[in-house]
Amino acid sequence: MKIVIVGVGKVGETLIGNLVRENHDIVIVDYDYDVVNNVVNHYDVRGIVGGGLERKVLIDAGVDKADLLIACTSRDEMNILCCVLAKKIGVHSTVARVRDPQYFKEMENMRTDLGLDYAFNPELATALEIAQVLKFPSARSVESFAGGRARMAEFEITGNNPLVGKNLQQISKEYGGKILIGVVRRGDRIIIPHGDYVVESGDLIHIIGDEQEIASFCKKIKIFKKKAKSAFIIGGGKIVYYLAQELLHSGVSVKIIEKDEERAEELSELLPSATVIIGNGTDQDVLDDENLKNSDACITLTGMDEENVMISLYAKQSMVDKIVTKIDRPSILKMVNMLGLGTVVSPRNVIANHIVRFVRSYSATKGGGADTLYKIDNKAEALEFTVLNGFKGIDTPLKQLTLKKNVLIGGIVRDNEFILPSGDTAIKVGDRVIVVSEEKQFTELSQILK
C-alpha cells in the first residue's frame, strides 16, 4: 500500500517504523527539514518538507494516488482538516489523530460529515490499557479479544513459582482449566511453545483464556491479586483524565498528584469524584503525606520518563501492590524492564498496534481483516479474526488442518463463550479465532494455512 504520513513526532516515527517493516510504500510530510532528513536517512521512505494543509505539498506527496493518509501532527484541528483536504484531492482513506476529549466525542459525526475513516487517540488507548491491567493486577499486561470474552495476560515466572521445571503437558494435567500458554518471552527470545516446553524462572508467559479461567489458574499457582480498589496517579495530562474517568466509573477511588495549579484545578472540576492534590510527585514528603503506601496501585504519568521511573521505584520500595510506569523513549524501555517495575506502557506502541491493525484490515479482501492485533516485542503477534464463509477450514477438525510453522490457534469465541481448542475442535462461520504466531504479518485468516 502507498501511505502518506503527515507529522513526524513520537507517534509518527513509531508508525513509520512499524509500517516500513510491513513493506508499505511510505511518504512522510513535516515542516521540519531536519526531522524529515533524519527519518529519510534512517528508513526507506520518501520525505516532503511542508505542511499538511498545503495542497501543493500533498499533491507532491502523491496523495491523489495514495491508499491511505495518516495525519498525526500535534494539533487536532490540523489533522482533521488535512484529512478533509486529502479526501478532496483523491486519497482513498484517511486516519486522524484526535486527542482532545471534546473533539473525540464528536468523532462519529465527523466520520459522517467530514469523511474521516478512522480516528485514533493515543492517550485514550493508553488509559484503557492501564485500566484493564488494574482489573487484573497480577498480570504485567492484558489484551482483550472478542469484546473481552477472551484475554491474553502476561505473567512473570519467579524462582519459587510451582510451574518452574515443568513442561506444558505436566502443567495442563496438574492444574487443568481452560487456559493455554500461547507465547513465552525468555530474555530476547520469543517462543511459540509446544507441549514439551519446560518453564524456567524468569520466563514471561502469555496465558490465553477467559477472565474467570485465568483468575482460577493464578489462584492455583498462588500469584493471584485482587482488583485494585484505589489508585494513586502522578501527573495531570490527557491520559490521566481518561484513566481517572474509566477507574471512577469502575468504582475505583482515585487520587491525582499534579504540580501545575491551574491544571490541578481544571482536573478537579472535570473529575469531581476524584481527589486532586497540588504537589510535586517527585517529592517524597508529598507521597508519604498523601499515603502512597496504602494505595493498591501507583500509576506514574508525568511527561518525563526519568520522573516516572524514580517515582515507581519509590512506590516499589513502599510495597505498593501494583505499579504502572509510562515510558515514551524506546531507548530506555529495555533498561526499565530490567528494574522489575511490573507494567510499563508506551503510548506510541499502544497506538501503533491500533493503526497497523487498521492498515492490515484495509489490505484484506472481502472484509476479512483482523479485529484485534497485539504485538509482542515485534517478534510475535496475537490476532483475532472473525470466520467468514470463504475460509477453507470451516467444519474441519483442527488436527486435519495444516498450519504454517510457528502458528497456533490459541482460542475460539463462539456465541460469547470461550472455547479452548483441541485437535477435534472445528472452526465454524461466525467464530472469532485467536491466532498466535511469530511475526508473519497476516492480514486474513486464510493465510495461517499452508
Side-chain angles (χ1 to χ4, degrees):
M1 287 176 57
K2 181 172 182 178
I3 302 173
V4 177
I5 298 177
V6 178
V8 189
K10 292 181 291 188
V11 171
E13 187 166 358
T14 303
L15 286 176
I16 292 164
N18 277 269
L19 295 173
V20 165
R21 273 195 297 273
E22 305 223 342
N23 299 315
H24 294 290
D25 179 10
I26 307 294
V27 180
I28 63 167
V29 176
D30 197 278
Y31 276 117
D32 192 316
Y33 171 84
D34 290 333
V35 167
V36 172
N37 191 49
N38 288 338
V39 171
V40 168
N41 288 334
H42 192 267
Y43 300 100
D44 184 19
V45 300
R46 188 163 70 91
I48 304 289
V49 178
L53 297 183
E54 300 176 52
R55 188 181 186 88
K56 182 179 183 306
V57 169
L58 293 182
I59 291 173
D60 288 346
V63 162
D64 55 324
K65 299 180 179 65
D67 298 291
L68 183 66
L69 176 135
I70 303 173
C72 52
T73 76
S74 59
R75 294 173 56 193
D76 291 352
E77 299 88 345
M78 180 175 288
N79 294 333
I80 294 167
L81 290 174
C82 178
C83 288
V84 172
L85 178 57
K87 276 279 190 174
K88 290 186 176 296
I89 293 173
V91 73
H92 192 277
S93 296
T94 58
V95 175
R97 176 186 184 180
V98 180
R99 306 166 65 202
D100 188 283
Q102 296 303 315
Y103 285 141
F104 208 75
K105 286 179 183 176
E106 297 298 321
M107 281 318 304
E108 287 303 319
N109 292 331
M110 289 185 187
R111 287 191 187 103
T112 302
D113 298 339
L114 302 179
L116 293 180
D117 296 287
Y118 185 69
F120 68 94
N121 185 330
E123 288 79 9
L124 175 59
T126 304
L128 293 176
E129 181 163 301
I130 295 170
Q132 189 164 238
V133 171
L134 295 185
K135 292 175 184 176
F136 216 123
S138 46
R140 288 168 53 100
S141 65
V142 181
E143 183 67 27
S144 289
F145 299 91
R149 296 173 185 89
R151 300 190 188 276
M152 172 181 268
E154 180 187 37
F155 300 90
E156 182 176 8
I157 303 301
T158 57
N160 59 354
N161 191 290
L163 302 187
V164 174
K166 296 175 182 176
N167 64 38
L168 300 195
Q169 289 177 338
Q170 290 174 302
I171 292 169
S172 178
K173 288 178 183 177
E174 192 168 337
Y175 298 101
K178 293 175 14 179
I179 62 97
L180 178 76
I181 298 178
V183 181
V184 178
R185 179 162 37 178
R186 178 174 290 174
D188 292 331
R189 294 173 59 206
I190 294 292
I191 301 161
I192 310 295
H194 298 288
D196 59 354
Y197 179 86
V198 177
V199 175
E200 294 182 2
S201 177
D203 282 353
L204 299 174
I205 64 172
H206 291 74
I207 297 175
I208 303 171
D210 67 24
E211 189 168 328
Q212 288 185 335
E213 289 290 342
I214 295 176
S216 176
F217 181 77
C218 290
K219 289 174 182 176
K220 290 175 184 176
I221 64 173
K222 303 189 185 314
I223 62 170
F224 179 77
K225 296 179 182 178
K226 292 182 180 179
K227 293 180 180 179
K229 294 296 180 66
S230 61
F232 199 102
I233 304 174
I234 313 295
K238 290 186 174 67
I239 297 177
V240 173
Y241 167 74
Y242 288 121
L243 176 60
Q245 264 199 331
E246 184 71 15
L247 295 180
L248 291 166
H249 181 72
S250 301
V252 179
S253 67
V254 173
K255 180 177 287 187
I256 300 169
I257 307 294
E258 165 57 31
K259 62 185 177 183
D260 183 86
E261 183 174 349
E262 185 177 345
R263 178 57 176 168
E265 291 175 355
E266 183 180 2
L267 285 172
S268 186
E269 292 177 7
L270 291 170
L271 303 163
S273 297
T275 301
V276 182
I277 307 295
I278 301 171
N280 190 334
T282 62
D283 187 331
Q284 180 181 335
D285 290 337
V286 171
L287 301 179
D288 291 343
D289 289 345
E290 296 303 328
N291 214 11
L292 167 65
K293 65 181 180 181
N294 286 328
S295 294
D296 293 333
C298 175
I299 306 103
T300 57
L301 298 172
T302 79
M304 292 187 64
D305 292 347
E306 294 83 359
E307 285 189 3
N308 293 334
V309 172
M310 184 170 61
I311 299 165
S312 292
L313 286 171
Y314 184 69
K316 182 180 180 181
Q317 183 182 329
S318 301
M319 305 298 291
V320 176
D321 206 26
K322 184 65 183 179
I323 300 168
V324 181
T325 310
K326 179 177 78 74
I327 300 295
D328 277 320
R329 299 208 303 276
S331 59
I332 67 171
L333 270 173
K334 281 189 176 181
M335 289 188 289
V336 170
N337 284 329
M338 293 171 62
L339 295 174
L341 292 179
T343 298
V344 176
V345 295
S346 170
R348 63 171 76 190
N349 289 335
V350 171
I351 209 60
N353 283 349
H354 285 259
I355 299 299
V356 171
R357 179 198 59 76
F358 175 83
V359 171
R360 288 199 200 169
S361 295
Y362 182 91
S363 303
T365 61
K366 301 179 182 178
D371 299 309
T372 303
L373 166 65
Y374 175 55
K375 284 177 169 282
I376 305 167
D377 282 355
N378 285 320
K379 296 176 181 177
E381 297 179 341
L383 304 105
E384 173 198 339
F385 294 96
T386 300
V387 180
L388 305 178
N389 276 313
F391 180 60
K392 293 181 180 179
I394 291 172
D395 293 329
T396 303
L398 295 182
K399 62 187 177 185
Q400 295 180 20
L401 297 180
T402 305
L403 303 181
K404 290 179 178 175
K405 186 178 179 182
N406 291 325
V407 172
L408 174 71
I409 294 180
I412 297 170
V413 175
R414 179 181 299 156
D415 297 328
N416 296 329
E417 180 185 355
F418 177 79
I419 299 171
L420 182 67
S422 68
D424 294 322
T425 305
I427 295 173
K428 299 185 178 297
V429 173
D431 284 352
R432 297 167 84 167
V433 178
I434 301 167
V435 175
V436 179
S437 75
E438 289 188 1
E439 193 180 23
K440 297 183 185 296
Q441 301 174 11
F442 292 135
T443 59
E444 303 175 43
L445 182 59
S446 60
Q447 293 173 341
I448 72 173
L449 302 175
K450 283 186 179 179

